Amino acid sequence: MTADEMRDVDRIAVTEVGLRLLQMMENAGRILAWHVRDVRTEGTAVVVVAGTGGNGGGGMACARHLANRAIPVEVVVDRSPEDLTGAAATQHRILDRMGVPVITEREWVPQSDDERVVVDSLVGYGLDGEVRSPVSQLIERTNERSGPVVSLDVPSGRDATTGDVLGTAVTPDRTVTLALPKTGLESVPGTLYLADISIPQMVYERLGIEYDRPFGHSDWVELER
């Protein structure tokens, strides 16, 4: 689906069905954490690079699930934590109470030989213009490292509908997209997985979208391109 179609899905799920953003975010974070563990080498730490919207909140939920499994993890946010709002602020408060380190973009200066796993949760499908600083700088630092990168939903800097790079974009080793694949993911490098975030089939039916649940008894499936 396109970015506009995904906005409609989210709107119907929240306003008409009654799902909460935090519920969908929790599912996204839990599944994302599994994929991070799947690419992670034993003993390697994880860095979650998070934005301020739902995508960033999903990344912070992922950090909590990793910390719950005694995996060393820190979170890098693109602004002062005091400036976070909404669901992202809620997720940050939880991490703060857990003692998970949260630093700002200015404090994160990774080296090229940094082998930690980076979780890219800066920008989701809502990106509609070229990425600007500090997000663009975080994307460049992510790409300059040697460790694996797992992107949430859409690699930051990619147009979810067209796949165009909007200034600069994360180059992921794996992307975990949510609910349904976005049309712009066709040209994205790396492996692609689709995660179930609990959106009911009736949401798609109300929008006239043909939907045959692809997950079977699993919470995610690998997609072929």
Side-chain angles (χ1 to χ4, degrees):
M1 60 173 55
T2 66
D4 285 341
E5 289 171 329
M6 191 64 216
R7 288 187 186 93
D8 288 337
V9 168
D10 280 345
R11 175 178 55 80
I12 296 294
V14 172
T15 63
E16 296 188 23
V17 176
L19 278 176
R20 295 177 179 270
L21 176 60
L22 283 171
Q23 289 176 285
M24 294 185 283
M25 190 177 290
E26 184 68 20
N27 285 317
R30 175 178 53 83
I31 293 172
L32 180 62
W34 186 95
H35 285 274
V36 172
R37 299 198 307 272
D38 193 46
V39 304
R40 171 181 173 266
T41 302
E42 184 69 28
T44 303
V46 178
V47 180
V48 176
V49 185
T52 59
N55 202 258
M60 285 187 266
C62 168
R64 170 165 41 84
H65 284 285
L66 294 172
N68 284 345
R69 288 161 177 78
I71 294 174
V73 58
E74 71 174 349
V75 176
V76 181
V77 291
D78 65 358
R79 65 195 63 196
S80 171
E82 290 75 22
D83 294 331
L84 296 173
T85 60
T90 298
Q91 298 290 359
H92 172 260
R93 283 195 295 272
I94 297 170
L95 293 178
D96 185 55
R97 290 164 184 167
M98 291 174 63
V100 174
V102 179
I103 63 175
T104 64
E105 169 266 334
R106 293 182 180 180
E107 298 172 279
W108 188 49
V109 188
Q111 304 301 312
S112 60
D113 60 352
D114 186 345
E115 296 183 351
R116 292 178 295 176
V117 181
V118 166
V119 177
D120 159 37
S121 62
L122 279 166
V123 188
Y125 69 79
L127 183 65
D128 60 2
E130 286 200 3
V131 290
R132 295 174 293 184
S133 179
V135 172
S136 59
Q137 294 173 324
L138 286 169
I139 290 173
E140 290 168 1
R141 291 175 198 169
T142 295
N143 289 338
E144 288 169 356
R145 303 163 38 272
S146 60
V149 178
V150 181
S151 287
L152 177 60
D153 200 24
V154 179
S156 296
R158 288 267 185 175
D159 185 295
T161 299
T162 66
D164 292 343
V165 174
L166 301 179
T168 185
V170 168
T171 303
D173 297 280
R174 180 178 299 197
T175 299
V176 181
T177 196
L178 307 176
L180 282 178
K182 290 33 172 208
T183 54
L185 293 173
E186 183 68 29
S187 59
V188 170
T191 53
L192 178 62
Y193 291 82
L194 178 67
D196 181 7
I197 56 171
S198 78
I199 294 177
Q201 183 163 339
M202 62 179 292
V203 172
Y204 303 109
E205 292 173 349
R206 289 190 185 187
L207 292 168
I209 298 171
E210 292 187 18
Y211 181 78
D212 184 12
R213 189 177 185 277
F215 301 105
H217 296 293
S218 301
D219 290 325
W220 62 86
V221 292
E222 185 173 358
L223 301 177
E224 296 181 359
R225 289 175 288 187

